């Protein structure tokens, strides 16, 4: 008899898969999504809220430590109108000041010094002035940037930009 050809059996290769690359890609994706998740959270800024110790009611408004507020109304021709407290019950009445070292910067430094003394007397040392910046439609963007620069120079970190005017403030701007 003739030798029948033997069946050639194929050699079975190991079915082991190297997952090293898959693991490193997985870790990179996990890190990527953790970083993106952390960066996409909204950032908020701390704002020094008024003192709520003793609330007073005056003309339908709740006055919360208005001694610590200074309002800046930015007008055209590089004019600033400032007042402390509330316009209808001001601590310091409205007055015009100019930009610069001898104008608004001097005003901010003096007012902040008074407020720091006031806060220290009331048992809350270190609570400085809160500045409310209200740019009018007539003021330009450069004026707003200049005021923000003054906040940085005078180390006032508690300020807010409010685009709305009260009717009294609108009348005050129109009269000047």
């Amino acid at each position: 008899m003739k030798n029948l050809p033997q069946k050639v059996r194929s050699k079975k290769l190991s079915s082991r898969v190297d997952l090293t690359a898959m693991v490193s890609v997985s870790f990179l994706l996990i890190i990527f999504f953790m970083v993106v998740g952390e960066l996409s959270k909204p950032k908020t800024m701390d704002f020094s809220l008024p003192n709520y110790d003793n609330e007073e009611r005056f003309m339908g408004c709740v006055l919360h430590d208005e001694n610590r507020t200074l309002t800046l109304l930015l007008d055209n021709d590089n004019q600033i109108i400032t007042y402390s407290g509330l316009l209808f019950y001001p601590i310091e009445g409205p007055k015009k000041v100019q930009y610069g070292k001898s104008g608004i910067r001097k005003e901010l430094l003096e007012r902040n010094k008074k407020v720091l003394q006031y806060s220290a007397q009331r048992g809350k040392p270190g609570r400085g002035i809160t500045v409310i910046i209200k740019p009018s439609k007539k003021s330009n963007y450069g004026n707003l940037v200049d005021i923000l620069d003054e906040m940085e120079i005078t180390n006032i970190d508690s300020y807010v930009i409010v685009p709305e005017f009260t009717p009294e403030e609108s009348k005050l701007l129109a009269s000047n």
Side-chain angles (χ1 to χ4, degrees):
M1 277 210 214
K2 284 188 171 180
N3 282 351
L4 293 174
Q6 291 183 345
K7 289 185 182 179
V8 178
R9 293 191 179 206
S10 62
K11 186 177 178 185
K12 289 191 177 184
L13 299 172
S14 69
S15 59
R16 187 167 179 251
V17 178
D18 188 17
L19 294 177
T20 307
M22 184 65 85
V23 170
S24 21
V25 167
S26 305
F27 279 120
L28 285 173
L29 285 172
I30 289 171
I31 292 170
F32 172 77
F33 286 116
M34 285 174 60
V35 169
V36 167
E38 205 46 48
L39 291 177
S40 66
K41 288 181 181 173
K43 303 289 185 239
T44 58
M45 183 174 80
D46 261 347
F47 182 67
S48 177
L49 294 175
N51 184 5
Y52 291 99
D53 289 347
N54 47 349
E55 297 180 5
E56 299 173 59
R57 300 212 177 260
F58 183 82
M59 296 171 106
C61 295
V62 179
L63 307 179
H64 297 294
D65 208 3
E66 70 279 1
N67 293 309
R68 291 184 51 236
T69 62
L70 175 70
T71 304
L72 305 177
L73 304 175
L74 307 183
D75 204 7
N76 61 348
D77 296 331
N78 297 328
Q79 295 288 320
I80 305 170
I81 300 173
T82 68
Y83 64 90
S84 295
L86 300 172
L87 188 57
F88 56 85
Y89 188 65
I91 295 166
E92 288 182 15
K95 63 180 175 181
K96 279 188 178 181
V97 294
Q98 294 288 329
Y99 288 88
K101 190 175 187 177
S102 61
I104 189 63
R105 188 175 308 161
K106 181 179 174 187
E107 181 73 23
L108 288 170
L109 289 171
E110 288 174 1
R111 186 71 189 139
N112 196 31
K113 185 177 177 183
K114 287 179 187 176
V115 168
L116 286 171
Q117 289 172 352
Y118 167 79
S119 296
Q121 290 171 355
R122 298 204 43 172
K124 307 231 187 228
R127 291 190 69 185
I129 192 170
T130 300
V131 179
I132 302 170
I133 303 168
K134 295 187 174 187
S136 70
K137 294 191 183 334
K138 297 176 186 176
S139 70
N140 59 37
Y141 183 72
N143 291 348
L144 182 61
V145 171
D146 290 342
I147 283 296
L148 294 177
D149 287 343
E150 293 296 337
M151 296 295 121
E152 187 68 29
I153 291 168
T154 56
N155 291 325
I156 295 174
D157 54 2
S158 181
Y159 59 89
V160 64
I161 301 171
V162 180
E164 296 92 24
F165 285 87
T166 63
E168 293 85 13
E169 290 170 338
S170 299
K171 288 176 188 174
L172 178 66
L173 283 176
S175 69
N176 287 320

